[in-house]
Amino acid sequence: MHCWRKVMRASQSYIQSLYEGSDSELRRITEYAVEHHVPIMEVDGIQFIKQLIRIHRPKKILEIGTAIGYSAIQMAKVDSSIQITTLEVDETRYRQAMKNIQTLNYENQIKAIHQDAIDYLKERTEAEQFDFVLIDAAKGKNKDFVNYTAPFLKKNGLLVVDNVLFKGYVSGENNESKRLSKLGSKINSFNQWLMNDERFETTIVETGDGITVAIKQTK
Ligand SMILES: C[S@@+](CC[C@H](N)C(=O)[O-])C[C@H]1O[C@@H](n2cnc3c(N)ncnc32)[C@H](O)[C@@H]1O
């Protein structure tokens, strides 16, 4: 088991190395993220999401958790007709996201909003519909994020959640930190809950930090 895990990690490093340097525009943003300890999606994770977007062809995307705009810009790059609304609760990160979006000329495609996602969604009417939702915010609140976004996701729309394997803390193979093991248990409960939720047909893919892809079955 331990040995297999090592092979899996080596495979992930190999896949990640294939993407290195493929997006020079974004290098500055990823370097800023490392320097300022801002968590952003792993390269194989975001590349998988971009491929889902190419297949599913959403026109309107809702993202919960902008950070500094890395994943929103990556998604916008897939097609210039895609419109993205992205929510960020932290003011410093929101300001940096706005800077990045402006510098790379994505203001026409990406609307970044500085607000708690749940407060934002409480104020919306369901007339505003999205065909793709990416949840990548506070990991302990995933269930709330799903429940609050579900009414805004069209039938057959995709719900994507990042970090559902959370660095091995969900399966229990990693237990270095007690605090993160607790969070891992919470994410495990969320995974079980969503798998059994009849509103969605759900699968988990072991890429990036673990990504859920759920298709909404209901209106
Ligand atoms: C993992 S980062 C997002 C990374 C980003 N998606 C990327 O890959 O470039 C998670 C972000 O969610 C934000 N966040 C956490 N809870 C939130 C909430 N309730 N509403 C909006 N943003 C939230 C955090 O401040 C943090 O910047």
Side-chain angles (χ1 to χ4, degrees):
M1 181 71 174
H2 183 66
C3 187
W4 167 242
R5 284 287 136 217
K6 260 193 175 160
V7 174
M8 285 301 287
R9 276 196 209 102
S11 296
Q12 186 180 19
S13 301
Y14 164 72
I15 293 167
Q16 290 189 346
S17 75
L18 295 177
Y19 296 119
E20 262 168 31
S22 62
D23 233 321
S24 57
E25 252 188 350
L26 288 165
R27 204 168 306 135
R28 197 183 44 78
I29 299 179
T30 55
E31 282 168 6
Y32 176 101
V34 172
E35 199 179 314
H36 294 83
H37 309 287
V38 178
I40 60 170
M41 288 195 72
E42 292 193 30
V43 68
D44 50 334
I46 190 64
Q47 292 297 342
F48 173 69
I49 287 175
K50 287 173 79 173
Q51 197 74 325
L52 282 179
I53 293 172
R54 290 183 195 106
I55 296 166
H56 190 68
R57 297 175 173 270
K59 289 291 168 225
K60 284 188 75 189
I61 297 178
L62 174 67
E63 178 184 55
I64 304 199
T66 318
I68 55 173
Y70 171 74
S71 51
I73 292 170
Q74 284 275 29
M75 293 191 289
K77 276 175 169 288
V78 174
D79 191 303
S80 60
S81 67
I82 294 172
Q83 290 292 318
I84 302 170
T85 301
T86 180
L87 301 159
E88 175 54 55
V89 75
D90 180 272
E91 190 174 354
T92 310
R93 289 182 183 174
Y94 162 77
R95 286 189 189 284
Q96 189 60 37
M98 288 299 290
K99 224 180 187 178
N100 292 333
I101 292 163
Q102 281 158 9
T103 307
L104 297 182
N105 290 318
Y106 286 97
E107 302 108 302
N108 293 338
Q109 272 185 273
I110 304 173
K111 184 170 144 199
I113 297 168
H114 173 221
Q115 193 174 2
D116 179 282
I118 296 192
D119 291 344
Y120 174 83
L121 291 165
K122 277 182 182 166
E123 291 166 6
R124 316 279 20 118
T125 71
E126 287 165 28
E128 196 178 345
Q129 291 280 299
F130 295 87
D131 28 29
F132 192 105
V133 170
L134 171 60
I135 297 177
D136 185 20
K139 306 303 160 190
K141 289 191 183 162
N142 278 343
K143 198 170 160 181
D144 285 345
F145 293 139
V146 169
N147 282 331
Y148 278 96
T149 52
F152 299 93
L153 183 61
K154 283 184 190 162
K155 187 176 179 189
N156 295 323
L158 289 194
L159 172 82
V160 176
V161 188
D162 190 31
N163 307 102
V164 296
L165 299 176
F166 202 59
K167 308 171 203 307
Y169 282 103
V170 176
S171 65
E173 73 194 271
N174 184 356
N175 49 24
E176 259 170 52
S177 149
K178 255 194 176 172
R179 184 180 64 82
L180 296 182
S181 291
K182 256 192 173 172
L183 185 54
S185 302
K186 208 163 179 189
I187 297 171
N188 175 37
S189 305
F190 164 73
N191 290 341
Q192 311 249 3
W193 170 78
L194 190 58
M195 281 285 178
N196 289 302
D197 188 326
E198 290 183 351
R199 291 173 296 177
F200 299 98
E201 195 62 67
T202 300
T203 189
I204 292 178
V205 182
E206 192 173 6
T207 187
D209 197 21
I211 294 180
T212 290
V213 182
I215 305 170
K216 195 175 177 208
Q217 305 294 294
T218 53
K219 257 199 165 177

